[in-house]
Amino acid sequence: MLYYLFRFLERFDIPGAHMWSYISFRALLTLVISLLISAWFGAHFIRFMKRRNISETERDKSIDPFGVQKKGVPTMGGIIILVSILVPVLLLGRLRNIYLLLMIGTTVWLGFLGFLDDYIKTFRKNKEGLKGKYKIVGQVSIGLIVGLVLWASPDVVVRENMTTQRQGQEVVIHKSEPVKSLKTTIPFVKNHNLNYSSVMGFCGKYAVAAGWVLFVIMTILVVTAVSNGANLNDGMDGMCAGNAAIIGVALGILAYVSSHIEFAAYLDIMYIPGSQELVVFMCAFVGAVIGFLWYNAYPAQVFMGDTGSLMIGGIIGVCAVIIHKELLLPILCGIFFVESLSVIIQTSAFKYYKRKGQRVRVFRATPIHDNFRRLDSQLDSTSRYIFRHWPRRQFSESKITVRFWITTIILAALTIVTLKMR
C-alpha cells in the first residue's frame, strides 16, 4: 500500500519518494518492520495466552532427559510469525505481483490449516489434532493451486539463459523475449537446467503438456514434503525457527540474483522478471522468525505449533518453485529431509518386523533430533534397537539445536555455491 502511495507522490517530486522504487530499500525496511512487529506483538501475545491459560498440555519434564519443564508454555505462536509477515508485506509490497500474491496465499492457507490443528489440540483437548488426511488434503490443495497458477498465468515468464561467443570467449546472455518455461535448476551440472518437457519426451507431441502436468505434481510434492519436514523439525526450542531463518536468507539471495539480469548472467541462471518482490517477502519472513526466536529460544516462552511449522515449510517450498530452484531443496533443506527420512525409516522398519512377530526399532527415537537426547532408561525394554548405542552419550537440547543450525548454515552456503560448481 505504501509502495503505491509513494510512487504516486514521486510524480510531485516529493523528497525521498523515489526511494520506494529500490528493491533493496523496501526489502531492508520490511526486514526491520517485521522483526519489530514480531518482537512487540510476541510479548503481548504471550501475556494474552497466559492470561487465558492457553498453553501446551502435552510436553512435560518427563520427555526431556535433563528434566526441563515445558508444560504450561503458550502455544500457537505461529500467529506471531503470520502477522509479522503479512503486515509489512501488505504495506511495502507490490500487491499486483503474481509471485507475491502466491506467497501471501500460501502463508494464509497453511497458517489457517496449522491453526485448526492447534485449536483441536488445545481447546478440544485432542492430542491427535487435525486428522492426518485433512492435513495432506490441505497441503496438496495449496500445492495444486500454486502449480496451476504458475502454469496458467501470463505474468509467470522467464528469460532463459544461453551461451554465446564474444571475442573468442564464452559469455552468458539472456534471450530477449520472456517465455513460459518448464526449466528448473539442477546442481553440479554445467548446463544446469532440467526441462520437465524433456523428461516427458516419450509423450511425443504431448510432451509440453505432460511436462506441465509433471511440474504441477512436483509443486505438490515439494510443498507437502517441505511443510511436513518443517513440522517434524519443530520439536526443540528454537530449532525450526532458527533453521527457517537461515533457509530464508538463502532463498532471499537466490530470489535476488534471479531478479537481477547481470547477476543471473554471471551465475548462468534464468532471469525471472518480477521475482524481486520475493526478496521483500523473504525479508519479512526472516525478520518474523528471528523476532519469534527471541521468545522461542531455549528455554522457550512460546511454541510455534503447527500454525507456524506448516506455514514455514509451505513458504520455503513455494518460493523455491517460483524461482525454479526446487531441485536444490534436498541440499538447502537437508535437515528437514533427514528428519522426515528418519521417521519414514523408523515407521517402515517397525511395521516390517512387527509382521514377523518382532519389535525392532532403528533409532532410539524419531524425528532424528530426539535420538540425540533419549536416555537408555527411556527406551522400550521390549524392543530391539539397531542403533541403540548411537550416539554414545546424550546432548542437551540447546546443544542439539545450535549444531542443527550450524549444519543448516553449511547446507545453505553449499546450495548457493552449487550455482558455480559445475
Side-chain angles (χ1 to χ4, degrees):
M1 298 178 186
L2 291 178
Y3 168 79
Y4 293 105
L5 172 62
F6 280 94
R7 290 309 300 270
F8 173 75
L9 294 177
E10 189 177 349
R11 301 177 183 177
F12 304 99
D13 295 325
I14 302 296
H18 70 283
M19 292 291 294
W20 294 80
S21 62
Y22 295 112
I23 192 67
S24 56
F25 173 77
R26 289 194 291 124
L28 291 176
L29 187 58
T30 302
L31 175 67
V32 173
I33 292 175
S34 63
L35 199 156
L36 292 176
I37 291 175
S38 185
W40 174 81
F41 178 60
H44 290 278
F45 180 84
I46 292 170
R47 286 198 292 269
F48 172 82
M49 298 293 274
K50 285 185 174 180
R51 284 199 303 268
R52 304 284 190 205
N53 199 28
I54 304 172
S55 59
E56 180 64 68
T57 58
E58 297 302 320
R59 303 188 194 187
D60 56 43
K61 62 183 179 181
S62 66
I63 297 175
D64 193 296
F66 298 94
V68 178
Q69 179 63 262
K70 294 192 176 183
K71 189 175 181 179
V73 176
T75 187
M76 293 187 181
I79 295 174
I80 300 171
I81 301 174
L82 179 68
V83 172
S84 303
I85 291 174
L86 292 182
V87 171
V89 165
L90 292 175
L91 285 175
L92 304 176
R94 291 178 57 194
L95 300 182
R96 288 181 290 184
N97 182 278
I98 185 63
Y99 302 132
L100 193 63
L101 291 176
L102 284 175
M103 296 303 296
I104 292 172
T106 300
T107 302
V108 174
W109 185 295
L110 290 177
F112 179 70
L113 182 69
F115 174 80
L116 289 179
D117 185 69
D118 289 335
Y119 180 87
I120 293 171
K121 289 177 181 176
T122 305
F123 293 96
R124 301 290 179 86
K125 306 300 180 183
N126 181 355
K127 65 179 183 179
E128 298 298 326
L130 188 67
K131 291 184 179 180
K133 62 181 180 181
Y134 295 128
K135 283 186 184 180
I136 294 296
V137 169
Q139 292 166 325
V140 169
S141 297
I142 189 61
L144 179 62
I145 291 170
V146 170
L148 291 176
V149 169
L150 293 176
W151 179 358
S153 174
D155 296 328
V156 179
V157 293
V158 304
R159 285 174 59 180
E160 296 180 345
N161 49 312
M162 59 182 292
T163 303
T164 187
Q165 292 286 335
R166 283 184 182 174
Q167 298 179 349
Q169 293 183 339
E170 284 190 353
V171 295
V172 177
I173 62 172
H174 289 88
K175 296 179 180 179
S176 58
E177 290 297 322
V179 295
K180 302 287 289 185
S181 178
L182 279 169
K183 291 184 178 180
T184 188
T185 301
I186 54 176
F188 309 118
V189 178
K190 184 176 181 181
N191 297 314
H192 58 157
N193 288 333
L194 173 70
N195 196 322
Y196 287 119
S197 61
S198 298
V199 175
M200 304 302 289
F202 60 88
C203 294
K205 64 180 181 179
Y206 302 106
V208 174
W212 279 109
V213 172
L214 178 60
F215 168 78
V216 173
I217 293 173
M218 179 62 72
T219 302
I220 293 171
L221 291 176
V222 166
V223 173
T224 304
V226 181
S227 183
N228 284 325
N231 186 238
L232 292 172
N233 187 236
D234 180 34
M236 291 185 177
D237 297 349
M239 174 78 80
C240 186
N243 287 325
I246 297 164
I247 294 169
V249 170
L251 284 174
I253 293 172
L254 292 174
Y256 182 73
V257 297
S258 296
S259 68
H260 194 292
I261 193 165
E262 292 182 2
F263 290 155
Y266 173 72
L267 294 170
D268 193 8
I269 59 176
M270 288 172 282
Y271 167 56
I272 308 173
S275 61
Q276 64 271 14
E277 292 304 312
L278 293 177
V279 182
V280 174
F281 187 93
M282 294 312 297
C283 280
F285 174 74
V286 171
V289 293
I290 291 177
F292 177 77
L293 193 58
W294 183 271
Y295 303 104
N296 185 238
Y298 182 88
Q301 297 171 257
V302 64
F303 298 133
M304 69 168 63
D306 282 20
T307 306
S309 59
L310 290 179
M311 176 178 62
I312 282 172
I315 288 171
I316 291 170
V318 172
C319 181
V321 169
I322 289 174
I323 60 176
H324 300 257
K325 301 294 183 290
E326 66 271 18
L327 297 185
L328 297 180
L329 286 180
I331 302 174
L332 178 59
C333 299
I335 289 295
F336 294 168
F337 177 73
V338 171
E339 296 271 40
S340 299
L341 187 62
S342 68
V343 172
I344 294 171
I345 292 173
Q346 184 88 317
T347 305
S348 301
F350 185 80
K351 290 180 178 179
Y352 173 77
Y353 284 105
K354 188 177 181 180
R355 289 195 294 267
K356 295 186 175 184
Q358 304 176 44
R359 291 179 63 84
V360 178
R361 303 176 193 271
V362 178
F363 306 104
R364 291 166 173 261
T366 55
I368 197 65
H369 61 256
D370 277 331
N371 186 70
F372 295 100
R373 66 172 176 178
R374 187 59 59 96
L375 298 171
D376 286 340
S377 59
Q378 296 176 307
L379 301 182
D380 181 6
S381 59
T382 63
S383 297
R384 178 170 67 88
Y385 293 84
I386 295 176
F387 292 108
R388 184 184 183 92
H389 301 293
W390 178 74
R392 294 188 178 277
R393 67 183 183 90
Q394 284 64 52
F395 300 92
S396 65
E397 181 168 325
S398 57
K399 184 176 285 293
I400 297 170
T401 298
V402 171
R403 288 186 175 180
F404 272 55
W405 289 353
I406 293 171
T407 302
T408 300
I409 290 172
I410 295 170
L411 292 174
L414 180 61
T415 300
I416 296 172
V417 169
T418 58
L419 298 181
K420 295 300 289 183
M421 292 173 58
R422 305 168 204 163

